[in-house]
Amino acid sequence: MSELAEKRILLGLTGGIAAYKAADLARGLIKQGAEVQVVMTDAACRFISPLTLQALTGKPVYTSMWDDRVGNGMPHIELSRDRDLIVVAPATADFMAKLVHGTADDLLATLCIARECPLMVAPAMNRQMWENPATRRNVKQLSSDGIIIEGPASGDQACGENGMGRMSEPDQIVESIVSWFQPKLLAGARILVTAGPTYEPIDAVRGITNLSSGRMGYAVARAAHEAGAKVTLISGRTGLQPPANVSVIDIITAQQMHDEVMERLSECDILIAVAAVADYRVSNREQHKIKKKAGAGLTLELEPNPDILGSVAAHKDGPFCVGFSAESQNIESHAAEKRRRKNIPLIAANLVQAAFGSEQNELILIDDEGAHRLPRSSKLQQARGLIRHITRLYKPGRKSVTAR
Ligand code: C5P
C-alpha cells in the first residue's frame, strides 16, 4: 500500500554518523509512494556521499545556497515550496540550535526558515549532548514552535556509549510520517477500544484464556488516535507497548473489562470492541492452587460472562458500536448474524487462522450496505481502513444506523 502517494517530502541530512541511515529512510519514503528531494549540509557530505542519495531518489541532491542549477538562483525558496513536509534526519544538536535561533547560514537551515510546510526533525547525537541543558532547552523551544520531534531512541551509540540520543530507526520515522499524514476524520471524538484476551482464573495460578495477541486492538487504538480521536484502550494481558498518547487501562477478567467500559460510557462516542472476551468464567474457582489427586478427574463449572458489546449496544443513548467477529468458517454469514443479534451498525470479521498471532489481517466489514473487504495487509493498515469506514457511518451526536 502506498501510504505516502503524492506526498512531496524534502529530506534534509545534517552531519552525524546516523546520516548513513538516511539512505534507508529515503528508500522507505519512496517505497510508500513519496517523492523525495534531498538537501545535505557540508558536514553530512562527510558522512555519506550525495551520489548515494541521488542514486536512491533519482534526483540531484542540493548542498549549496549558490547552486546555479536552480533557475532563479534561490534554491532555499524553490526547494521549500510545494512541499508537504520537510524531514531533517539526522538532526544534530547544532542544527537544532540553529533552528531555535533562526540562523540561516547554509541551504538546509535557510530553507527550513523559509518553509511554508510542517517540519519534522529526528535528533541524533551522543547521550551527553542530548542531556545537555542547552539541548533540552532547544528541544522544548522547537516543540513549542510547532516542530515535530521524532525520537531519539535509547541504546548503543556509534561512539561506544549507551543512552538516549540514537536516531529513530528509518522504519519508525516512515511510520511516524505516515501517521502524521492521516486525515483527522475523528477529531474530538471519544473512543473506547477493548483489546487482547481476557483471563478467567481457575485457581491461584491457573486460568482460561485464548490466543488473542492484542495486536489488532492496539492497532485500532493507534489508528483512532491518528485520526484525531481521544482514545482509551481497555486491555487484557498482551505484553505489547501501548500506542503513544492513548490512555491504557489494564484488566485481567471479562468482568473487569465490562466494569471499566460501563464506567466510561457517558464519556464515549464510539466503542470498538476488538477484545477476545471469554464467554464463560469458572464459578467454582479455588482460592489456592488445586492439588492433583492421582487418578481422579476434575470438573470445572462455568457460568456466562457479561456480553460487554451486547450490553453497551442495548443502551438507549449508548455510543456508536463496532464489533469484531473472529470466525473459523463461514465468516460472512456468522458475522452478519452476530451483527443482527447484537444490534450494532458495523462488524469487522476475520478468519481466526489468518489473524491470531499474525502481523497481518484481512478484514471484512459488514454494515447495512453489505460486505466490504479490505485487502490483506498489516494490522495497522487494516485498522486505518476500519477507522475510515467508521467515519463514513458515524454521525456525531447520534447512535447512527442500527442493524437490519
Ligand atoms: O459474542 P461474540 O464473542 O461472538 O462476539 C464478538 C464481539 O463481541 C467482539 O466484538 C467482542 O469484543 C465482543 N464481546 C464482548 N463481550 C463478550 C463477548 C464478546 O464485548 N462477553
Side-chain angles (χ1 to χ4, degrees), residues 194 254 257 271-279 305-310 322-327 338 341-342 344 347:
T194 67
M257 183 175 271
L271 168 69
I272 312 178
V274 195
V277 185
D279 291 326
N305 267 324
D307 182 333
I308 306 167
L309 179 61
V322 181
F324 264 69
S325 179
E327 305 295 341
K338 203 170 287 182
R341 179 163 39 85
K342 300 213 184 206
I344 53 175
I347 197 157

Side-chain angles (χ1 to χ4, degrees), residues 140-153:
K140 211 165 148 200
Q141 185 59 49
L142 292 180
S143 286
S144 73
D145 290 348
I147 292 171
I148 311 148
I149 316 278
E150 164 50 49

Side-chain angles (χ1 to χ4, degrees), residues 45-112:
C45 298
R46 290 178 175 256
F47 287 94
I48 182 170
S49 158
L51 185 62
T52 305
L53 277 306
Q54 178 177 335
L56 292 174
T57 60
K59 284 173 173 293
V61 169
Y62 291 89
T63 57
S64 164
M65 290 276 276
W66 320 113
D67 197 316
D68 57 17
R69 287 173 296 178
V70 176
N72 65 4
M74 289 186 269
H76 61 295
I77 304 294
E78 280 299 289
L79 295 172
S80 68
R81 292 297 173 266
D82 299 329
R83 292 284 143 194
D84 295 298
L85 181 71
I86 297 177
V87 185
V88 179
T92 59
D94 175 61
F95 189 75
M96 293 198 297
K98 274 193 205 177
L99 288 177
V100 167
H101 292 285
T103 307
D105 63 352
D106 66 10
L107 176 59
L108 187 58
T110 311
L111 68 82
C112 282

Side-chain angles (χ1 to χ4, degrees), residues 5-336:
E6 290 169 31
K7 296 289 182 243
R8 290 166 51 84
I9 297 177
L10 189 141
L11 172 61
L13 277 67
T14 68
I17 181 58
Y20 81 94
K21 292 188 187 172
D24 260 349
L25 175 56
R27 275 183 75 86
L29 294 171
I30 290 167
K31 209 167 142 199
Q32 290 294 341
E35 185 208 303
V36 179
Q37 171 64 62
V38 174
V39 172
M40 296 170 69
T41 63
D42 285 344
C45 298
R46 290 178 175 256
F47 287 94
I48 182 170
S49 158
L51 185 62
T52 305
L53 277 306
Q54 178 177 335
L56 292 174
T57 60
K59 284 173 173 293
V61 169
Y62 291 89
T63 57
S64 164
M65 290 276 276
W66 320 113
D67 197 316
D68 57 17
R69 287 173 296 178
V70 176
N72 65 4
M74 289 186 269
H76 61 295
I77 304 294
E78 280 299 289
L79 295 172
S80 68
R81 292 297 173 266
D82 299 329
R83 292 284 143 194
D84 295 298
L85 181 71
I86 297 177
V87 185
V88 179
T92 59
D94 175 61
F95 189 75
M96 293 198 297
K98 274 193 205 177
L99 288 177
V100 167
H101 292 285
T103 307
D105 63 352
D106 66 10
L107 176 59
L108 187 58
T110 311
L111 68 82
C112 282
I113 294 167
R115 78 186 189 280
E116 287 176 326
C117 66
L119 170 61
M120 176 185 281
V121 296
M125 65 199 72
N126 165 267
R127 61 172 180 87
Q128 204 59 49
M129 294 170 78
W130 176 250
E131 278 153 26
N132 187 288
T135 309
R136 308 261 37 81
R137 279 196 303 277
N138 289 342
V139 171
K140 211 165 148 200
Q141 185 59 49
L142 292 180
S143 286
S144 73
D145 290 348
I147 292 171
I148 311 148
I149 316 278
E150 164 50 49
S154 178
D156 287 341
Q157 301 204 306
C159 55
E161 296 182 2
N162 185 291
M164 200 68 173
R166 279 168 62 91
M167 187 174 90
S168 294
E169 292 304 322
D171 282 355
Q172 161 65 34
I173 301 176
V174 173
E175 241 340 294
S176 174
I177 293 171
V178 170
S179 209
W180 187 83
F181 275 120
Q182 294 305 306
K184 306 295 170 233
L185 299 168
L186 288 173
R190 299 160 302 174
I191 301 189
L192 269 186
V193 179
T194 67
T198 62
Y199 175 91
E200 309 301 327
I202 295 172
D203 65 14
V205 292
R206 304 178 182 102
I208 300 173
T209 187
N210 59 64
L211 290 176
S212 165
S213 66
R215 285 200 196 101
M216 192 66 228
Y218 277 53
V220 168
R222 175 168 166 180
H225 170 70
E226 287 175 352
K230 182 171 176 287
V231 183
T232 303
L233 175 63
I234 302 182
S235 173
R237 283 181 181 163
T238 66
L240 298 174
Q241 176 78 18
N245 303 310
V246 162
S247 324
V248 184
I249 293 156
D250 293 315
I251 57 89
I252 295 174
T253 65
Q255 185 64 51
Q256 288 168 349
M257 183 175 271
H258 171 271
D259 296 349
E260 295 291 351
V261 169
M262 292 304 164
E263 204 181 305
R264 286 166 184 79
L265 268 197
S266 61
E267 311 138 22
C268 167
D269 302 307
I270 301 174
L271 168 69
I272 312 178
V274 195
V277 185
D279 291 326
Y280 296 94
R281 63 181 170 230
V282 180
S283 45
N284 56 342
R285 174 189 169 181
E286 292 287 337
Q287 204 65 16
H288 297 289
K289 188 177 170 193
I290 300 171
K291 290 287 166 207
K292 184 166 54 186
K293 290 194 191 102
L298 177 70
T299 305
L300 295 177
E301 275 171 33
L302 302 179
E303 61 184 347
N305 267 324
D307 182 333
I308 306 167
L309 179 61
S311 342
V312 174
H315 258 253
K316 193 163 66 66
D317 298 316
F320 181 91
C321 288
V322 181
F324 264 69
S325 179
E327 305 295 341
S328 56
Q329 58 177 343
N330 302 331
I331 314 178
E332 264 189 66
S333 56
H334 282 149

